[in-house]
Amino acid sequence: MYRGTRDGKLVTKASAAGRKRAADSVCSQLSEQGTEDSISGPRSSWRIRRRDLASAILLPFLIPRVNISIAAEIYDASIIRSGVRSVLTKGKAAGVLRLVFHDAGTFEIGDGSGGMNGSIIYEVDRPENIGLNRSIKILRKAKEGIDNVQKVSWADLIAVAGAEAVALCGGPEIPVRLGRVDSSADPSGKLPEETLDAASLKTLFSKKGFSAQELVVLSGAHTIGGKGFGSPVVFDNTYFKVLLDNRPPQTSSKAGNGMAAMVGLRTDWALTEDDECLRWIRIYAEDQARFFDDFRDTYIKLVDSGASWRTA
């Protein structure tokens, strides 16, 4: 397969940090008061006990409540992003993004099977997943370091890594909700075959909960990875511009061995044969900002598809 917004999360983070500072300040003041009582010489014991009692009563009201689950999620995200960035390069970005699509793309609305659950690590031997073991090996290095600080599921790691891959190549920044639970291998045969026509692609994607527009915008991820749609390490809207050139899929002048190389996949060009898909191709070819916005929203939907979430 191929908004909580980030700003909101940053506000939450700042708020939580502010509350922590407030709590620290209150605790510090109480500590100083206690120290003063202990070194100021003889005092009436009832006066000290009264102060301690007042502190105990007032403390819950002086310290604003902090949503621990939200704070933990933000903390997790920063750790995961840092771990991913330590192993990810632009040259590896396309493979990591493909890993996301092949994990989440198994989702089916009808029976609720598949989805973003990390099961891809058990499915690398399937024909459709050839080459993905390299991306898993890269992320495994990141996971080892992250797990030393905070345990992370494969599903969360892959979802965040895909978002980081897009941003690293110049695409939109994508906030990713955390808390996915890993699963065992998903049923096979859930990903679209490279020989499907537009009608079949639309039908397949609709079973996964995605519209024709979302099919087109997710296909735009093929702009990276060396498929002939511009620079292999730049995430932009060149994919759509190339499709509008109406060039046959068997031509490319960039084959290093002197032979003609295919530009993209058969499914990429099939999109141009459908009026609804073609309309969105034209929109994104003319408006990169719109492509970025829609890709961000659809990516979030993709990595949430079929996910099971931890409850604590």
Side-chain angles (χ1 to χ4, degrees), residues 3-72:
R3 254 189 233 259
T5 66
R6 177 180 289 269
D7 291 340
K9 289 190 175 182
L10 289 175
V11 170
T12 302
K13 182 177 182 181
S15 177
R19 291 170 181 168
K20 183 178 184 302
R21 287 194 296 272
D24 290 343
S25 176
V26 171
C27 292
S28 176
Q29 291 172 18
L30 292 174
S31 176
E32 290 172 1
Q33 290 172 358
T35 302
E36 178 182 319
D37 285 341
S38 66
I39 65 175
S40 60
R43 290 192 177 187
S44 300
S45 60
W46 69 269
R47 189 175 296 176
I48 298 175
R49 287 197 299 269
R50 187 174 63 179
R51 176 176 291 173
D52 291 342
L53 179 59
S55 298
I57 294 173
L58 292 175
L59 189 57
F61 299 95
L62 293 172
I63 303 177
R65 293 182 180 179
V66 178
N67 188 326
I68 300 301
S69 63
I70 292 177

Coordinates of all heavy atoms in Angstrom, one line a residue, residues 3-72:
R3 N -6.6 16.3 13.7 CA -5.2 16.8 13.7 C -4.9 16.8 15.1 O -3.9 17.1 15.4 CB -5.3 18.3 13.1 CG -4.8 18.3 11.7 CD -4.5 19.5 11.0 NE -5.1 19.6 9.8 CZ -4.5 19.5 8.7 NH1 -3.3 19.1 8.6 NH2 -5.2 19.7 7.7
G4 N -5.8 16.0 17.7 CA -4.5 16.4 18.1 C -3.5 16.8 17.0 O -3.1 16.0 16.2
T5 N -3.1 18.0 17.0 CA -2.0 18.5 16.1 C -0.7 18.6 16.9 O -0.7 18.6 18.1 CB -2.4 19.9 15.6 OG1 -2.4 20.8 16.6 CG2 -3.7 19.9 14.9
R6 N 0.4 18.8 16.1 CA 1.7 18.9 16.7 C 1.7 20.2 17.6 O 2.3 20.2 18.7 CB 2.8 19.0 15.6 CG 4.2 19.2 16.2 CD 5.2 19.3 15.1 NE 5.4 18.0 14.5 CZ 6.3 17.2 14.9 NH1 7.1 17.5 15.9 NH2 6.4 16.0 14.3
D7 N 1.1 21.3 17.1 CA 1.0 22.5 17.9 C 0.3 22.2 19.2 O 0.7 22.7 20.3 CB 0.3 23.6 17.1 CG 1.2 24.1 15.9 OD1 2.4 23.8 16.0 OD2 0.6 24.7 15.0
G8 N -0.8 21.5 19.1 CA -1.5 21.2 20.3 C -0.7 20.4 21.3 O -0.7 20.6 22.5
K9 N 0.1 19.5 20.8 CA 1.0 18.7 21.7 C 2.1 19.6 22.3 O 2.4 19.4 23.5 CB 1.6 17.5 21.0 CG 0.6 16.4 20.6 CD 1.3 15.2 20.1 CE 0.3 14.1 19.9 NZ 1.0 12.8 19.4
L10 N 2.6 20.5 21.5 CA 3.6 21.4 22.1 C 3.0 22.3 23.2 O 3.7 22.5 24.2 CB 4.2 22.3 21.0 CG 5.1 21.5 20.0 CD1 5.5 22.5 18.8 CD2 6.3 21.0 20.6
V11 N 1.8 22.7 23.0 CA 1.2 23.5 24.0 C 1.0 22.7 25.3 O 1.2 23.1 26.4 CB -0.2 24.0 23.6 CG1 -1.0 24.6 24.7 CG2 0.0 25.1 22.5
T12 N 0.6 21.4 25.1 CA 0.4 20.5 26.2 C 1.7 20.3 27.0 O 1.8 20.3 28.2 CB -0.1 19.2 25.8 OG1 -1.4 19.4 25.1 CG2 -0.4 18.2 26.9
K13 N 2.8 20.1 26.2 CA 4.1 19.9 26.8 C 4.5 21.1 27.6 O 5.0 21.0 28.7 CB 5.1 19.6 25.6 CG 6.5 19.3 26.2 CD 7.4 19.0 25.0 CE 8.8 18.6 25.5 NZ 9.7 18.3 24.4
A14 N 4.3 22.3 27.0 CA 4.7 23.5 27.7 C 3.9 23.7 29.0 O 4.4 24.1 30.0 CB 4.5 24.7 26.8
S15 N 2.6 23.4 28.9 CA 1.7 23.5 30.0 C 2.2 22.5 31.1 O 2.3 22.9 32.3 CB 0.3 23.2 29.6 OG -0.5 23.2 30.8
A16 N 2.5 21.3 30.7 CA 2.9 20.3 31.7 C 4.3 20.7 32.3 O 4.4 20.6 33.6 CB 3.1 18.9 31.0
A17 N 5.1 21.3 31.5 CA 6.4 21.8 32.1 C 6.2 22.9 33.1 O 6.8 23.0 34.1 CB 7.3 22.2 30.9
G18 N 5.3 23.8 32.7 CA 5.0 24.9 33.6 C 4.4 24.4 34.9 O 4.7 24.9 36.0
R19 N 3.5 23.4 34.8 CA 2.9 22.9 36.0 C 4.0 22.2 36.9 O 4.0 22.3 38.1 CB 1.9 21.9 35.7 CG 0.6 22.5 35.1 CD -0.3 21.5 34.5 NE -1.5 22.1 33.9 CZ -2.3 21.4 33.1 NH1 -2.2 20.2 32.9 NH2 -3.4 22.1 32.6
K20 N 4.9 21.5 36.3 CA 6.0 20.9 37.0 C 6.9 21.9 37.7 O 7.2 21.8 38.9 CB 6.9 20.1 36.1 CG 8.0 19.3 36.8 CD 8.8 18.5 35.9 CE 9.8 17.6 36.6 NZ 10.8 18.5 37.4
R21 N 7.1 23.1 37.0 CA 7.9 24.1 37.7 C 7.2 24.7 38.9 O 7.7 25.0 39.9 CB 8.3 25.2 36.7 CG 9.3 24.8 35.6 CD 9.8 26.1 34.9 NE 8.8 26.7 34.1 CZ 8.5 26.4 32.9 NH1 9.2 25.4 32.3 NH2 7.6 27.0 32.2
A22 N 5.9 24.8 38.7 CA 5.0 25.3 39.8 C 5.1 24.4 40.9 O 5.2 24.8 42.1 CB 3.6 25.5 39.3
A23 N 5.0 23.1 40.7 CA 5.0 22.1 41.7 C 6.4 22.1 42.4 O 6.5 22.1 43.7 CB 4.7 20.7 41.2
D24 N 7.4 22.2 41.6 CA 8.8 22.3 42.2 C 9.0 23.5 43.1 O 9.6 23.4 44.2 CB 9.9 22.3 41.1 CG 9.9 21.0 40.4 OD1 9.4 20.0 40.9 OD2 10.5 20.9 39.3
S25 N 8.4 24.6 42.6 CA 8.5 25.8 43.4 C 7.8 25.7 44.7 O 8.3 26.1 45.8 CB 7.9 27.0 42.6 OG 7.9 28.2 43.4
V26 N 6.6 25.2 44.7 CA 5.8 25.0 45.9 C 6.6 24.1 46.9 O 6.7 24.3 48.1 CB 4.4 24.4 45.6 CG1 3.7 24.0 46.9 CG2 3.6 25.4 44.9
C27 N 7.1 22.9 46.4 CA 7.8 22.0 47.2 C 9.0 22.6 47.8 O 9.4 22.3 48.9 CB 8.1 20.7 46.4 SG 6.7 19.7 45.9
S28 N 9.7 23.4 47.0 CA 10.9 24.1 47.4 C 10.6 25.0 48.6 O 11.3 25.1 49.6 CB 11.6 24.8 46.3 OG 12.7 25.5 46.7
Q29 N 9.5 25.8 48.4 CA 9.2 26.7 49.5 C 8.8 26.0 50.8 O 9.2 26.4 51.8 CB 8.0 27.5 49.0 CG 8.3 28.5 47.9 CD 7.0 29.2 47.3 OE1 6.0 29.2 48.0 NE2 7.2 29.7 46.1
L30 N 8.1 24.9 50.6 CA 7.7 24.1 51.8 C 9.0 23.5 52.5 O 9.1 23.5 53.7 CB 6.8 23.0 51.4 CG 5.4 23.4 51.0 CD1 4.6 22.2 50.5 CD2 4.7 24.1 52.1
S31 N 9.9 23.1 51.6 CA 11.2 22.5 52.2 C 12.0 23.6 52.9 O 12.5 23.4 54.0 CB 12.0 22.0 51.1 OG 13.3 21.5 51.6
E32 N 12.0 24.8 52.4 CA 12.7 25.9 53.0 C 12.1 26.3 54.3 O 12.8 26.6 55.3 CB 12.8 27.1 52.1 CG 13.7 26.9 50.8 CD 13.6 28.0 49.9 OE1 12.8 29.0 50.1 OE2 14.2 28.0 48.8
Q33 N 10.8 26.3 54.3 CA 10.1 26.6 55.6 C 10.4 25.6 56.6 O 10.6 25.9 57.8 CB 8.6 26.7 55.3 CG 8.2 27.9 54.4 CD 6.7 27.8 54.0 OE1 6.0 26.8 54.4 NE2 6.2 28.8 53.3
G34 N 10.4 24.3 56.2 CA 10.7 23.3 57.2 C 12.1 23.4 57.8 O 12.4 23.2 58.9
T35 N 13.1 23.8 56.9 CA 14.5 23.9 57.3 C 14.6 25.1 58.3 O 15.3 25.0 59.3 CB 15.4 24.2 56.1 OG1 15.2 23.1 55.2 CG2 16.8 24.4 56.5
E36 N 13.9 26.2 58.0 CA 13.9 27.4 58.8 C 13.4 27.0 60.2 O 14.0 27.4 61.2 CB 13.0 28.4 58.2 CG 13.0 29.7 59.0 CD 12.1 30.7 58.4 OE1 12.1 30.8 57.2 OE2 11.3 31.4 59.1
D37 N 12.3 26.2 60.3 CA 11.8 25.8 61.6 C 12.8 25.0 62.4 O 12.9 25.1 63.6 CB 10.5 25.0 61.4 CG 9.3 25.8 61.0 OD1 9.4 27.1 61.2 OD2 8.4 25.3 60.4
S38 N 13.6 24.2 61.7 CA 14.5 23.3 62.4 C 15.7 23.9 62.9 O 16.4 23.4 63.8 CB 14.9 22.1 61.4 OG 15.6 22.6 60.3
I39 N 16.1 25.1 62.3 CA 17.4 25.7 62.7 C 17.2 27.0 63.4 O 18.1 27.7 63.8 CB 18.2 26.0 61.4 CG1 17.6 27.0 60.5 CG2 18.5 24.7 60.7 CD1 18.4 27.4 59.4
S40 N 15.9 27.4 63.7 CA 15.7 28.7 64.3 C 15.7 28.6 65.8 O 15.3 29.6 66.4 CB 14.4 29.3 63.7 OG 13.3 28.4 64.1
G41 N 16.0 27.5 66.3 CA 16.0 27.4 67.8 C 14.7 26.9 68.3 O 13.8 26.5 67.6
P42 N 14.6 26.9 69.6 CA 13.4 26.4 70.3 C 12.1 27.1 69.9 O 12.1 28.4 69.9 CB 13.7 26.6 71.8 CG 15.1 26.8 71.9 CD 15.5 27.4 70.6
R43 N 11.1 26.4 69.5 CA 9.8 27.0 69.2 C 8.7 26.1 69.7 O 8.9 24.9 70.0 CB 9.6 27.1 67.7 CG 10.5 28.2 67.0 CD 10.0 28.5 65.6 NE 10.8 29.6 65.0 CZ 10.6 30.2 63.9 NH1 9.6 29.8 63.2 NH2 11.3 31.1 63.4
S44 N 7.6 26.7 69.8 CA 6.5 25.9 70.3 C 6.1 24.8 69.3 O 6.0 25.0 68.1 CB 5.2 26.7 70.5 OG 5.5 27.8 71.5
S45 N 6.1 23.5 69.8 CA 5.8 22.4 68.9 C 4.5 22.5 68.2 O 4.3 22.1 67.1 CB 5.9 21.1 69.6 OG 5.0 21.0 70.7
W46 N 3.5 23.1 68.9 CA 2.2 23.2 68.3 C 2.2 24.1 67.0 O 1.4 23.9 66.1 CB 1.1 23.7 69.3 CG 1.3 25.2 69.6 CD1 2.1 25.7 70.7 CD2 0.8 26.3 69.0 NE1 2.1 27.0 70.7 CE2 1.3 27.5 69.6 CE3 0.0 26.5 67.8 CZ2 0.9 28.8 69.3 CZ3 -0.3 27.8 67.5 CH2 0.1 28.9 68.2
R47 N 3.1 25.1 67.0 CA 3.2 26.0 65.8 C 3.7 25.3 64.6 O 3.2 25.4 63.5 CB 4.1 27.2 66.2 CG 4.1 28.3 65.1 CD 4.9 29.4 65.6 NE 4.3 30.1 66.8 CZ 4.9 31.1 67.4 NH1 6.1 31.6 67.0 NH2 4.4 31.6 68.5
I48 N 4.7 24.4 64.8 CA 5.2 23.6 63.7 C 4.2 22.6 63.2 O 4.0 22.4 62.0 CB 6.5 22.9 64.2 CG1 7.6 23.9 64.6 CG2 7.0 21.9 63.1 CD1 8.8 23.3 65.2
R49 N 3.5 21.9 64.1 CA 2.5 20.9 63.7 C 1.4 21.6 62.9 O 0.9 21.0 62.0 CB 2.0 20.2 64.9 CG 3.0 19.2 65.6 CD 2.2 18.3 66.5 NE 1.6 19.0 67.6 CZ 2.2 19.2 68.8 NH1 3.4 18.9 69.0 NH2 1.5 19.9 69.7
R50 N 1.0 22.8 63.4 CA 0.0 23.5 62.6 C 0.4 23.9 61.2 O -0.4 23.8 60.3 CB -0.4 24.8 63.4 CG -1.6 25.5 62.8 CD -2.0 26.7 63.6 NE -1.0 27.7 63.7 CZ -1.1 28.9 64.3 NH1 -2.2 29.2 65.0 NH2 -0.1 29.8 64.3
R51 N 1.7 24.3 61.0 CA 2.2 24.6 59.7 C 2.2 23.3 58.8 O 1.8 23.3 57.7 CB 3.6 25.2 59.8 CG 4.2 25.4 58.4 CD 5.6 26.1 58.5 NE 5.4 27.4 59.0 CZ 6.4 28.2 59.3 NH1 7.6 27.8 59.3 NH2 6.2 29.5 59.7
D52 N 2.7 22.2 59.4 CA 2.7 20.9 58.6 C 1.3 20.5 58.2 O 1.1 20.1 57.1 CB 3.3 19.8 59.5 CG 4.8 20.1 59.7 OD1 5.4 20.9 58.9 OD2 5.4 19.5 60.6
L53 N 0.4 20.7 59.1 CA -1.0 20.3 58.8 C -1.6 21.2 57.7 O -2.2 20.7 56.8 CB -1.9 20.4 60.1 CG -3.4 20.1 59.9 CD1 -3.5 18.7 59.4 CD2 -4.1 20.3 61.2
A54 N -1.3 22.5 57.8 CA -1.8 23.4 56.7 C -1.2 23.1 55.4 O -1.8 23.1 54.3 CB -1.4 24.8 57.1
S55 N 0.1 22.7 55.4 CA 0.8 22.4 54.1 C 0.2 21.1 53.5 O 0.0 21.1 52.3 CB 2.3 22.1 54.4 OG 2.9 23.3 54.8
A56 N -0.1 20.1 54.3 CA -0.7 18.9 53.8 C -2.0 19.1 53.2 O -2.4 18.5 52.2 CB -0.8 17.9 54.9
I57 N -2.8 20.0 53.8 CA -4.2 20.3 53.3 C -4.1 21.1 52.0 O -4.8 20.9 51.1 CB -5.0 21.1 54.4 CG1 -5.2 20.2 55.6 CG2 -6.3 21.6 53.8 CD1 -5.8 20.9 56.8
L58 N -3.2 22.1 52.0 CA -3.2 23.0 50.8 C -2.4 22.5 49.6 O -2.6 22.9 48.5 CB -2.5 24.4 51.3 CG -3.3 25.2 52.2 CD1 -2.5 26.4 52.7 CD2 -4.7 25.6 51.6
L59 N -1.5 21.5 49.8 CA -0.6 21.1 48.7 C -1.4 20.6 47.5 O -1.0 21.0 46.4 CB 0.3 20.0 49.2 CG 1.4 19.5 48.3 CD1 2.3 20.7 47.9 CD2 2.2 18.4 48.9
P60 N -2.5 19.8 47.6 CA -3.2 19.4 46.4 C -3.8 20.5 45.6 O -3.9 20.4 44.4 CB -4.3 18.5 47.0 CG -3.8 18.0 48.3 CD -3.0 19.2 48.8
F61 N -4.1 21.7 46.3 CA -4.7 22.8 45.6 C -3.6 23.7 45.0 O -3.8 24.4 44.1 CB -5.5 23.6 46.6 CG -6.7 22.8 47.2 CD1 -6.5 22.2 48.4 CD2 -7.8 22.6 46.5 CE1 -7.6 21.4 48.9 CE2 -8.9 21.9 47.0 CZ -8.8 21.2 48.2
L62 N -2.4 23.7 45.6 CA -1.3 24.5 45.1 C -0.7 23.9 43.8 O -0.2 24.7 43.0 CB -0.3 24.7 46.2 CG -0.7 25.5 47.4 CD1 0.4 25.4 48.5 CD2 -0.9 27.0 47.0
I63 N -0.7 22.6 43.7 CA -0.1 22.0 42.5 C -1.2 21.6 41.5 O -2.0 20.7 41.8 CB 0.7 20.7 43.0 CG1 1.7 21.1 44.0 CG2 1.4 20.0 41.8 CD1 2.5 19.9 44.6
P64 N -1.2 22.2 40.3 CA -2.2 21.8 39.3 C -2.0 20.4 38.9 O -0.9 19.8 38.9 CB -1.9 22.8 38.2 CG -1.1 23.9 38.8 CD -0.3 23.3 39.9
R65 N -3.1 19.7 38.6 CA -3.1 18.4 38.2 C -2.4 18.2 36.8 O -2.7 19.0 35.9 CB -4.5 17.8 38.1 CG -5.1 17.6 39.5 CD -6.5 17.0 39.3 NE -7.1 16.9 40.6 CZ -8.4 16.4 40.8 NH1 -9.1 16.0 39.8 NH2 -8.9 16.3 42.0
V66 N -1.6 17.2 36.6 CA -0.9 16.9 35.4 C -1.4 15.6 34.8 O -1.4 14.6 35.6 CB 0.7 16.9 35.6 CG1 1.3 16.5 34.3 CG2 1.2 18.2 36.1
N67 N -1.8 15.6 33.6 CA -2.2 14.4 32.9 C -1.0 13.6 32.6 O -0.3 13.8 31.7 CB -3.0 14.7 31.6 CG -3.7 13.5 31.1 OD1 -3.1 12.4 31.1 ND2 -4.8 13.7 30.5
I68 N -0.7 12.6 33.4 CA 0.5 11.8 33.3 C 0.5 11.0 32.0 O 1.6 10.9 31.4 CB 0.6 10.8 34.5 CG1 0.6 11.5 35.8 CG2 1.8 9.9 34.3 CD1 1.7 12.5 36.0
S69 N -0.6 10.6 31.5 CA -0.6 9.8 30.2 C -0.2 10.7 29.1 O 0.6 10.3 28.2 CB -2.0 9.2 30.0 OG -2.9 10.2 29.8
I70 N -0.6 12.0 29.1 CA -0.2 12.9 28.0 C 1.3 13.2 28.1 O 2.0 13.2 27.1 CB -1.1 14.2 28.1 CG1 -2.5 13.9 27.8 CG2 -0.5 15.2 27.2 CD1 -3.4 15.1 27.9
A71 N 1.7 13.5 29.3 CA 3.1 13.8 29.5 C 4.0 12.6 29.1 O 5.0 12.8 28.4 CB 3.4 14.1 31.0
A72 N 3.6 11.4 29.4 CA 4.4 10.2 29.0 C 4.4 10.1 27.5 O 5.4 9.7 26.9 CB 3.8 8.9 29.6

